[in-house]
Amino acid sequence: MTAGTGTGLQPRRKGLSRRQKRRLSRGVQYVVFVGAVVAFAAGADWGRLQNQFAQWDIARQMFPDVITLALKNTVLYTLSGFVVGLALGMVIALMRLSSVGPYRWLAGVYIEIFRGLPALLIFIFIGVAVPLAFPGTEIVGGTYGKVALALGLVAAAYMAETIRAGIQAVPKGQLEAARSLGFSPARAMVSIVIPQAFRIILPPLTNELVLLFKDSSLVLFLGVTLEERELSKYGRDLASTTANSTPILVAGLCYLLVTIPLGFVVRRMEAKAQEAVR
């Protein structure tokens, strides 16, 4: 063997494997997280927090009105806005898919405007601009009708794009098969394509319902009576009356009573949808 060429054997590198590095990185992250929690818990003044947010005698006074009045109104506002948004979103989605140019243009303009504007401005527009533009005109349903319209206008812009994507996700062969069986284009769309599209878009539509549930707190900008208050308004009014933030905490927990189960339902539907694709 020629001198200087060595034996041809390279020494094995000593170090951590990829799996060991991942475990080490994960362990460091856990340590940092636990340290941050401990530091927060040690530094917080729990006595002052309890005094401001956890006065149980104030919380008890909120029941049953916080459920039978505030939560009930919040659910009604949300469902009415969802129904209006779904109906309007369906129309706009079909306009986006139309072969008629002006329909596509109008639908596109609507979507861009109402997705770009904050929901707060839509509520102010419904509560202030509409009465000024049409004096003496009352929206059907009073406050409930105004909330349904405001939430529906906002939700329709997002739902329209979701519905359009769902319709386009249905294989074109489904529509062609329906046409070969003698279905008209409209009947094939309503009977064959749209039902399949809704099975695809059900999870994102449920997510939209969760967002509307939280956006219903903007109803206060329409001016509501004591009997029309939703959770946020109800909690703020009691917080002002009692000079304590416990009602706001209770209102927040009531939101979670609805949003957490809905979130669980969304995850289950997404998991089932993924299993169906496999």
Side-chain angles (χ1 to χ4, degrees):
M1 183 175 293
T2 305
T5 58
T7 62
L9 298 176
Q10 296 293 335
R12 294 188 65 181
R13 295 181 179 178
K14 295 182 179 180
L16 298 176
S17 65
R18 286 185 179 178
R19 179 176 299 178
Q20 290 172 329
K21 289 180 179 179
R22 286 198 298 268
R23 289 178 178 175
L24 178 61
S25 175
R26 192 177 300 116
V28 171
Q29 292 175 25
Y30 287 152
V31 169
V32 171
F33 175 75
V34 171
V37 172
V38 171
F40 173 80
D45 190 336
W46 293 103
R48 294 182 64 182
L49 284 174
Q50 181 178 1
N51 183 61
Q52 185 64 25
F53 288 96
Q55 292 295 319
W56 305 120
D57 55 335
I58 296 176
R60 284 194 297 268
Q61 294 173 12
M62 298 177 65
F63 292 89
D65 287 350
V66 68
I67 301 296
T68 60
L69 176 67
L71 182 58
K72 181 199 73 173
N73 283 336
T74 302
V75 171
L76 289 177
Y77 293 147
T78 303
L79 293 179
S80 59
F82 184 81
V83 170
V84 173
L86 184 60
L88 184 57
M90 174 63 72
V91 173
I92 296 171
L94 294 176
M95 290 174 64
R96 285 277 282 175
L97 296 172
S98 174
S99 59
V100 182
Y103 287 169
R104 294 197 305 272
W105 182 82
L106 287 173
V109 169
Y110 177 92
I111 290 171
E112 293 303 322
I113 290 176
F114 283 91
R115 282 199 309 183
L117 289 175
L120 171 60
L121 295 184
I122 306 301
F123 273 81
I124 294 175
F125 176 80
I126 295 298
V128 178
V130 171
L132 289 176
F134 305 97
T137 302
E138 288 290 335
I139 296 177
V140 177
T143 300
Y144 292 95
K146 292 177 183 178
V147 176
L149 180 59
L151 288 177
L153 288 173
V154 175
Y158 295 93
M159 290 186 184
E161 288 294 87
T162 301
I163 295 170
R164 178 185 62 81
I167 292 175
Q168 291 179 326
V170 176
K172 292 183 178 179
Q174 298 289 322
L175 183 60
E176 294 171 355
R179 293 298 305 278
S180 68
L181 293 174
F183 283 65
S184 66
R187 185 183 174 192
M189 179 65 70
V190 173
S191 302
I192 305 299
V193 177
I194 290 178
Q196 294 185 61
F198 266 85
R199 283 197 291 270
I200 297 172
I201 65 176
L202 198 55
L205 285 182
T206 309
N207 269 330
E208 185 62 33
L209 182 62
V210 174
L211 294 176
L212 285 180
F213 187 74
K214 295 184 292 184
D215 284 344
S216 64
S217 61
L218 297 173
V219 68
L220 67 94
F221 292 98
L222 296 177
V224 294
T225 65
L226 293 178
E227 296 300 318
E228 295 170 340
R229 292 177 297 175
E230 42 69 51
L231 281 171
S232 293
K233 175 66 172 172
Y234 183 84
R236 280 193 293 268
D237 287 349
L238 285 183
S240 299
T241 302
T242 60
N244 190 274
S245 298
T246 299
I248 295 178
L249 176 62
V250 174
L253 293 176
C254 289
Y255 276 105
L256 294 178
L257 286 176
V258 176
T259 57
I260 289 179
L262 280 177
F264 175 77
V265 170
V266 171
R267 290 191 295 273
R268 291 291 297 171
M269 288 191 296
E270 289 176 344
K272 287 185 178 180
Q274 291 176 354
E275 291 177 359
V277 172
R278 293 174 186 172

